Amino acid sequence: MGSIRPYEPADAAQVLALHRRSMLHGRAPSPEFAAYLETFYGKTLFTHPWFDDELPSLVFESDGDVLGFVAVVPRPAVFEGRPVRVASSVRFMVDQDDTRAGMAAAALHMRFVRGPQDVSTVENSNALSRRVWEGTPGTVVLPTPSVSWTVVAPTVEPSAGWSTRPADDDEMLARVRESAAGHAWQPTYDEHSMSWLMGFLESARYRGDLLRRVVLDRRERVRGWFVAYANPAGYNGVLALRAATGAAGPVLAHLLGDLADVGGSPTTVGRLQPDFMSSLEGLGATVSLGPWALAHSRDPRLTRALAGTDAYVTRLEGEFC
């Protein structure tokens, strides 16, 4: 009927075809997206800085045909000072036209969550995938990352005397570490992995132009930072947004202002963060449930930590790997 095995470079052509059938419904991708997909499936999954032979991506194969696939990307973290092995599920897909699709999906999911990782995560799940995850004991929905906000054509006035400047790789690493400090759950980055991640995000041109900037007050002190795509053809996507205490309003205003200045869409979408709720309300933001972020572990302390308020997690640690 079929079996699961590690994904290999020789499978890339079949997985690309599966992506077009299952995720693009047969439509041809744009040239930029096609180039991204070829690199992602043919190279990135084998060369990214977190690659682990014990946590390979997986295919469901029958008679030489690939009917299902899940990209597995390890994303190391620290919980209460000790290392945690995290595996993120990315681009989970099965051939919906095959009668074995349901079996393939269930088998791939169970094989993934039963891997050697401490925690399994998915950051961009639809309602159907969420139900599959929630049917697996040990799974929790991550509340705030599963709520999206949308702001359309906001009228914003950046704070007088405040400004932004680009953040290079070293500053990005410093800002992430600074923002994560004091949290029980923290992602693990070093100079190489941060530089690789920023380069990878910038290369995904189909998503728009990547802005990574710090926000400075009148005294040139860093009061926040953000990473976001400015996409004139769709919507701007916020990957990370952080502000010092009392600075959420000005930081959000500069994010939206900078996106507009570089020709981004009038519509900006991000994930909910409690410290920005008041500022978002003032801009008339709408909120909606999903896409869903979920976590599974055999250790309930880890899922409770991720679902609570003492975990530092952004979209940099999720689907946009």
Side-chain angles (χ1 to χ4, degrees):
M1 291 294 292
S3 60
I4 297 172
R5 61 167 175 79
Y7 175 60
E8 300 173 353
D11 298 318
Q14 283 205 66
V15 171
L16 272 168
L18 177 62
H19 182 110
R20 294 188 184 106
R21 292 196 305 274
S22 63
M23 292 193 166
L24 299 179
H25 307 291
R27 299 188 305 272
S30 68
E32 283 186 338
F33 192 30
Y36 166 85
L37 290 175
E38 288 181 8
T39 300
F40 181 79
Y41 291 122
K43 179 181 178 182
T44 303
L45 289 175
F46 304 99
T47 59
H48 63 76
W50 307 286
F51 182 81
D52 185 340
D53 285 326
E54 293 184 351
L55 290 171
S57 298
L58 303 169
V59 294
F60 183 95
E61 182 184 56
S62 179
D63 298 326
D65 295 327
V66 172
L67 305 180
F69 170 81
V70 58
V72 179
V73 180
R75 298 303 300 266
V78 172
F79 174 59
E80 295 182 343
R82 67 177 178 87
V84 177
R85 203 176 190 186
V86 183
S88 181
S89 167
V90 180
R91 300 195 185 280
F92 189 107
M93 52 190 169
V94 294
D95 189 345
Q96 297 291 342
D97 293 330
D98 193 282
T99 57
R100 295 160 292 182
M103 178 185 67
L108 278 169
H109 173 72
M110 294 311 298
R111 177 72 167 268
F112 168 61
V113 298
R114 288 174 177 169
Q117 65 269 23
D118 300 306
V119 182
S120 305
T121 64
V122 62
E123 184 263 343
N124 208 29
S125 174
N126 60 24
L128 177 60
S129 175
R130 187 200 75 204
R131 288 194 291 272
V132 172
W133 276 73
E134 289 185 314
T136 308
T139 296
V140 299
V141 175
L142 307 185
T144 53
S146 295
V147 179
S148 299
W149 57 262
T150 302
V151 173
V152 180
T155 301
V156 294
E157 291 293 336
S159 298
W162 288 51
S163 61
T164 63
R165 60 171 167 76
D168 62 17
D169 296 344
D170 290 339
E171 181 151 37
M172 281 301 309
L173 180 60
R175 295 304 159 203
V176 169
R177 287 176 171 173
E178 178 184 67
S179 297
H183 289 78
W185 183 286
Q186 303 177 21
T188 300
Y189 291 102
D190 57 20
E191 289 81 0
H192 172 61
S193 59
M194 179 59 72
S195 179
W196 181 91
L197 180 62
M198 291 298 109
F200 172 75
L201 294 174
E202 288 177 341
S203 72
R205 297 289 304 163
Y206 75 96
R207 294 183 181 129
D209 295 322
L210 188 73
L211 302 187
R212 40 178 173 141
R213 298 182 176 179
V214 294
V215 181
L216 310 171
D217 66 11
R218 299 177 186 85
R219 297 169 59 184
E220 296 293 304
R221 297 176 301 175
V222 174
R223 301 290 285 162
W225 58 275
F226 57 82
V227 180
Y229 282 110
N231 184 359
Y235 62 86
N236 310 316
V238 180
L239 306 186
L241 177 63
R242 294 288 152 175
T245 301
V251 170
L252 181 61
H254 277 280
L255 162 72
L256 297 171
D258 283 12
L259 289 169
D261 288 345
V262 299
S265 167
T267 301
T268 300
V269 178
R271 298 293 178 93
L272 192 62
Q273 294 171 228
D275 50 337
F276 283 91
M277 290 175 65
S278 177
S279 300
L280 287 166
E281 182 184 24
L283 293 173
T286 60
V287 298
S288 58
L289 297 177
W292 301 93
L294 302 104
H296 170 275
S297 179
R298 291 173 287 274
D299 183 347
R301 295 176 304 162
L302 299 179
T303 49
R304 282 198 300 267
L306 277 171
T309 59
D310 204 14
Y312 178 86
V313 181
T314 70
R315 296 199 75 193
L316 298 178
E317 288 78 53
E319 185 84 5
F320 281 87
C321 68

